[in-house]
Amino acid sequence: SVAWSPDGKLVASGSYDKMVKLWDPTTGQEAKNLQDHIDAVFAVAFSPDGKHLASGSQDRSVKIWDIASGQRLYTLGDATDGITSLAYSPSGKQIAAAGYDKTIYVWEVGDSDGKLLHSLIADEDSILALAWTPDGKMLITSSSDGSIRFRDAATLDPIRVIDHQPDWVEALAISPDGTRLAAGRFNGTLSLFDMKSFKELIGPWVAFENPGLGTRASGDGTPGSGSPAGAQFAITRPQN
């Protein structure tokens, strides 16, 4: 997993080696190595203000880190299986996470601790990815049952379900204006969906010949893990 900091000055990565690392994108040099997870790290996300980083792991935990010091602030340990995806709300006051236990967790988070607000067994199979809309009103999830679900962020109840995807949707990204959803699949294909009609606008097209695709919307709304200015991007593939 990779994520850009809101100011574009850092890239965070999580890996099978249990490490969370911060990188300088201008030099490619490691800036910090954040160590506390005891299993593979599958998800990382910066807070909207760029002060904190959240990481989710196969060790069933979400950890919150202070960017300036590189210190772990606290751990959210309510999940019963590995965490595959997480996201801050646009306000930065909440974090949503999900994974192999088919459950979505939403915590209220601060500088020193977090509190579980609600959780919901939300799918019939493992949840692979989630994304919050820019207005904070919807949470989109994908599952290994081949579905994409558009949910009310307050209740987590599905508003619309798109079934029968060509392969597992392992990455979701919403354009900055909230009008488009990019969905990246394990087979290397990518599609764009309209957020109002929920219809597929473009795709599926082949983004990679090798399986696995990680994507986030860039600053101009095009697919890829984009820097805030939209001038750089990073992509991820699973480890062979």
Side-chain angles (χ1 to χ4, degrees):
S1 178
V2 293
W4 283 90
S5 63
D7 62 7
K9 294 181 179 180
L10 289 171
V11 173
S13 66
S15 177
Y16 281 87
D17 64 4
K18 311 173 191 177
M19 302 294 183
V20 177
K21 295 185 177 183
L22 301 178
W23 304 87
D24 183 332
T26 60
T27 65
Q29 298 298 307
E30 179 182 314
K32 286 186 175 71
N33 189 339
L34 313 179
Q35 301 183 43
D36 200 50
H37 284 292
I38 59 173
D39 210 333
V41 179
F42 293 145
V44 290
F46 282 94
S47 61
D49 62 9
K51 294 181 179 179
H52 298 151
L53 180 79
S55 58
S57 169
Q58 178 62 34
D59 66 13
R60 307 179 184 182
S61 72
V62 173
K63 295 183 184 294
I64 310 300
W65 307 85
D66 177 73
I67 296 299
S69 67
Q71 298 298 307
R72 179 184 60 82
L73 297 175
Y74 53 92
T75 298
L76 304 170
D78 298 283
T80 61
D81 208 336
I83 298 292
T84 60
S85 186
L86 54 81
Y88 273 91
S89 66
S91 69
K93 296 179 179 179
Q94 297 179 9
I95 287 178
Y100 296 126
D101 63 4
K102 312 172 188 178
T103 302
I104 300 172
Y105 300 89
V106 179
W107 293 274
E108 183 180 59
V109 291
D111 291 335
S112 59
D113 60 15
K115 178 179 70 174
L116 183 66
L117 295 178
H118 49 276
S119 62
L120 177 71
I121 299 176
D123 227 313
E124 297 177 0
D125 215 328
S126 301
I127 298 173
L128 302 176
L130 58 81
W132 225 308
T133 56
D135 62 8
K137 294 181 179 179
M138 276 200 295
L139 195 67
I140 295 92
T141 62
S142 64
S143 167
S144 53
D145 68 3
S147 68
I148 299 173
R149 285 177 166 81
F150 299 78
R151 302 176 181 276
D152 184 310
T155 65
L156 302 181
D157 293 330
I159 299 168
R160 179 68 66 91
V161 180
I162 302 176
D163 288 315
H164 311 300
Q165 291 298 296
D167 206 340
W168 293 346
V169 174
E170 293 197 314
L172 295 169
I174 301 170
S175 61
D177 62 5
T179 63
R180 300 288 186 268
L181 171 72
R185 304 182 184 88
F186 182 77
N187 63 4
T189 62
L190 181 68
S191 292
L192 296 182
F193 295 88
D194 181 80
M195 288 292 294
K196 288 185 177 180
S197 68
F198 306 107
K199 292 182 178 179
E200 188 175 38
L201 299 175
I202 304 173
W205 75 78
V206 177
F208 294 104
E209 293 183 2
N210 293 329
L213 172 64
T215 182
R216 294 174 187 265
S218 65
D220 62 3
T222 56
S225 182
S227 65
Q232 297 171 301
F233 68 94
I235 53 178
T236 61
R237 302 186 211 182
Q239 187 180 60
N240 291 329

